[in-house]
Amino acid sequence: MGGLWSQGKSRDRAKIRAPPFNGRDLKVNGKGVPLRSQAEEALQCYFETLNGHKPAHLYDLVMREVEEPLFKVVMGHVQGNQSRAATILGINRGTLRKKLKEFGINE
């Protein structure tokens, strides 16, 4: 009877996992530096340097600037493992392969 209880208890412990890291809790030298804050700062700088020019197609600009480095860094982090990269990015491997080809990132 003790064996069944022990098995169930170890199975329950195995189910407990830490939540995925979302980057909002990132700290450098004790200070929070979430990606959101860095993006906001970069966009503020962008608007400050327009010198009176009107911004256009900002969404496309931001996506072009961010997406390629995102894929490069993630692929480097996982040492080229596409399955792990797709999981980290929250996309399927087919989409990952399409983006890698689009950006000319060696798989």
Side-chain angles (χ1 to χ4, degrees):
M1 188 159 92
L4 289 176
W5 184 79
S6 297
Q7 286 178 342
K9 189 156 182 112
S10 66
R11 231 189 343 249
D12 289 342
R13 262 189 257 134
K15 290 180 185 175
I16 298 171
R17 293 191 178 117
F21 180 73
N22 66 15
R24 290 184 180 162
D25 302 322
L26 181 64
K27 302 257 187 241
V28 174
N29 296 327
K31 296 181 180 181
V33 288
L35 185 57
R36 175 185 294 263
S37 295
Q38 293 175 347
E40 189 173 334
E41 185 178 329
L43 286 165
Q44 288 294 342
C45 285
Y46 170 77
F47 280 109
E48 289 169 9
T49 60
L50 285 177
N51 294 327
H53 293 93
K54 294 184 180 181
H57 306 286
L58 185 58
Y59 179 82
D60 290 335
L61 172 69
V62 170
M63 294 310 294
R64 278 193 318 271
E65 291 295 313
V66 172
E67 199 173 26
E68 184 175 347
L70 170 66
F71 281 82
K72 283 182 179 178
V73 170
V74 169
M75 289 303 292
H77 176 74
V78 299
Q79 299 173 332
N81 184 311
Q82 291 184 5
S83 293
R84 288 180 53 211
T87 298
I88 288 171
L89 291 165
I91 60 177
N92 68 48
R93 280 188 15 230
T95 302
L96 175 65
R97 284 190 296 270
K98 176 184 168 194
K99 290 294 187 177
L100 293 175
K101 185 176 180 179
E102 177 182 330
F103 298 130
I105 299 172
N106 294 333
E107 304 159 29

